[in-house]
Each structure stands twice: as C-alpha cells, then as structure tokens.
C-alpha cells in the first residue's frame, strides 16, 4: 500500500544488511515474495539468498535455507530463478555441513527435485554418493531419511 502511494524502497537497510537479508533473517516470507514479484534489479532476491547460503555466517545460511523452503513451494517458476542464481548448487554444497543444515537443505531440494534442471544438478556421482551415504547413516533421523528418499526417487523418474 505504501509503495502505491509513492514510498521508496532502499535496498540497503544499514551497513550490515540489505533489505533482502533483513527480510530473510527476520522470517518475512511475504516481503521476500513481494520483492520477487517486483522483479527489480536492485533487489536481487534469489542472488542474495544464494549468497547467504554461501556465507560463513551460520545464521545467514540457516535463515536463507528456511526462507527457500516456503518460496520453493509457492510457484513452480521460482525454482528456475533459484537455479539460475546458483542456489541449487549452493544447497548441494551444504549437504555435508551437519544435521541441521542437511535437514533444511534436503527439505528445499525435495520440493524441487522433480524439476529436470535440478535432477541434472543432483545427478553427479559425488552428490548421489553423498545422498546414499546419508541414507545409510545409522544416525539419520526419519524426516531427513524420507527427504533423501524423495530426492533420489525423483532423480530416477
């Protein structure tokens, strides 16, 4: 409503965060969705979320992945934008970073693993080997196990 009345959006919140980072860290999914739909070059939602996945800051990684879960379910078009920003590769790179990150990354990947581009990205021998090792792990929790099963199943169909 404020934007329709002429309010401006400054993509930089402060020296530390952009508007997209702030929205992700504070779990404002509707704000992220709104900015995605705006398609403004100065508010690169998918690239920022991908960059957050590649960050050294664990909070940024977790917040980004947690926002990608609902976003990946909102529109079948969103997966391609995430893929083009390098987000699928970033999620794959986090599969060996501990149980919490494995859990949230497999959640996002399971949401989009039926897409052909994602299947191709997941299809490397290294990724399949890692997913298989996860599945065979004695310490795997049920929800993670089911996510890995869905991802592997999507890859072969």
């Amino acid at each position: 409503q404020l934007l329709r009345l002429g309010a401006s959006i400054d993509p930089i919140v402060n020296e530390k965060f952009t508007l997209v980072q702030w929205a992700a860290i504070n779990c404002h999914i509707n704000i992220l969705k709104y900015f995605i739909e705006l398609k403004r070059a100065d508010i690169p939602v998918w690239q920022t979320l991908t960059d957050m996945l590649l960050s050294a800051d664990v909070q940024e990684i977790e917040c980004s992945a947690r926002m990608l879960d609902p976003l990946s379910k909102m529109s079948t078009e969103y997966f391609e934008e995430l893929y083009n920003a390098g987000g699928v590769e970033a999620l794959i790179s986090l599969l060996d970073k501990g149980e919490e990150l494995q859990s949230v990354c497999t959640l996002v990947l399971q949401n989009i693993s039926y897409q052909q581009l994602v299947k191709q990205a997941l299809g490397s021998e290294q990724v399949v080997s890692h997913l298989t090792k996860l599945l065979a792990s004695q310490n795997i929790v049920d929800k993670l196990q089911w996510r890995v099963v869905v991802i592997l199943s999507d890859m072969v169909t």
Side-chain angles (χ1 to χ4, degrees):
Q1 178 72 354
L2 290 173
L3 292 175
R4 279 186 250 144
L5 296 173
S8 68
I9 297 174
D10 185 357
I12 306 296
V13 174
N14 59 38
E15 303 86 40
K16 188 171 178 177
F17 296 113
T18 67
L19 191 56
V20 173
Q21 289 169 314
W22 177 86
I25 288 169
N26 291 287
C27 299
H28 292 294
I29 194 70
N30 290 332
I31 292 173
L32 293 172
K33 183 178 181 225
Y34 179 77
F35 289 141
I36 290 168
E37 291 172 359
L38 277 180
K39 297 182 188 249
R40 284 183 42 174
D42 64 333
I43 306 176
V45 177
W46 297 109
Q47 190 59 58
T48 302
L49 291 173
T50 296
D51 292 346
M52 289 174 71
L53 287 173
L54 299 171
S55 169
D57 184 330
V58 175
Q59 180 190 16
E60 279 193 34
I61 296 169
E62 289 178 356
C63 290
S64 175
R66 290 192 191 290
M67 293 297 93
L68 287 171
D69 171 36
L71 287 171
S72 65
K73 296 174 189 172
M74 285 183 183
S75 170
T76 56
E77 297 170 11
Y78 286 178
F79 94 90
E80 194 166 344
E81 294 180 57
L82 175 63
Y83 179 86
N84 290 336
V88 172
E89 293 295 329
L91 287 163
I92 290 169
S93 74
L94 294 170
L95 288 174
D96 63 351
K97 301 296 184 201
E99 189 177 313
E100 185 61 31
L101 285 178
Q102 288 170 341
S103 180
V104 72
C105 289
T106 54
L107 181 59
V108 177
L109 288 170
Q110 107 178 341
N111 294 340
I112 58 176
S113 60
Y114 66 94
Q115 299 286 353
Q116 193 59 40
L117 288 172
V118 179
K119 286 182 188 185
Q120 290 170 354
L122 290 167
S124 80
E125 188 174 321
Q126 181 181 6
V127 175
V128 172
S129 173
H130 187 72
L131 289 170
T132 306
K133 285 178 188 172
L134 266 177
L135 198 55
S137 170
Q138 299 272 337
N139 300 326
I140 192 169
V141 293
D142 288 345
K143 65 182 177 181
L144 180 57
Q145 185 176 34
W146 282 110
R147 291 174 189 156
V148 172
V149 167
V150 168
I151 293 167
L152 289 170
S153 173
D154 281 346
M155 290 169 58
V156 298
T157 58

